[in-house]
Amino acid sequence: MGAQEYCIPILSVREIRGFEKTTKLPFAPPYVCGAINLRGIILTVIDLATYLNIPAELENARRVVIIVESREGVVYGLLVDRVIDLADISTGDIQPTSDESACLHGLVLIDSRMIGILKLDTVVRHLVGESRKG
């Protein structure tokens, strides 16, 4: 997202698809793009840049939606600027962040790139909490 790179566990990824127009959801938080129909299943799409308070690359033709499933079984889409590659990361290489409630599990260095590791379950808790308030 923007100049920062993030990663998510590959086992959480169901598929990657091109960005398509979403149906707006009334009273949704600013980071919710809307909903899409994925083979008969309605999914909420989260603009990860807005969620992480990072300027999105709106004119980027490489923007994609990553369909992910949390450990709780919640399936949703993450709109990202691009998918770069896969990386094999050892848990011993992860440097934890100081805030336990943050959406980052930690940081890892790959080559000279510092990459944030997202806590998908924290993102889901924020989503579920927001949807229950509305």
Side-chain angles (χ1 to χ4, degrees):
M1 304 306 309
Q4 178 62 44
E5 294 181 43
Y6 295 93
C7 67
I8 57 176
I10 191 68
L11 294 177
S12 300
V13 176
R14 290 178 125 196
E15 69 181 88
I16 299 172
R17 50 188 296 126
F19 180 62
E20 60 189 67
K21 185 176 187 258
T22 60
T23 300
K24 295 292 182 190
L25 300 173
F27 306 107
Y31 53 81
V32 174
C33 292
I36 60 171
N37 178 355
L38 179 66
R39 295 181 292 280
I41 300 170
I42 306 299
L43 298 178
T44 301
V45 177
I46 305 308
D47 184 334
L48 195 56
T50 302
Y51 179 80
L52 297 172
N53 199 26
I54 298 171
E57 298 176 3
L58 300 177
E59 300 302 320
N60 178 359
R62 295 177 61 193
R63 293 180 91 195
V64 294
V65 176
I66 303 172
I67 307 300
V68 295
E69 183 173 357
S70 72
R71 281 188 272 173
E72 290 91 12
V74 178
V75 180
Y76 57 99
L78 293 175
L79 175 61
V80 299
D81 289 338
R82 73 188 59 78
V83 173
I84 297 173
D85 58 13
L86 298 174
D88 190 17
I89 299 170
S90 169
T91 54
D93 295 336
I94 299 171
Q95 300 294 316
T97 56
S98 59
D99 186 0
E100 287 295 316
S101 65
C103 62
L104 283 183
H105 176 66
L107 297 168
V108 65
L109 271 173
I110 297 178
D111 299 323
S112 62
R113 302 169 8 226
M114 187 175 305
I115 299 173
I117 301 170
L118 289 176
K119 285 186 198 174
L120 288 180
D121 294 331
T122 300
V123 173
V124 169
R125 272 195 299 281
H126 287 158
L127 297 176
V128 171
E130 288 290 337
S131 66
R132 287 188 181 153
K133 290 177 188 172

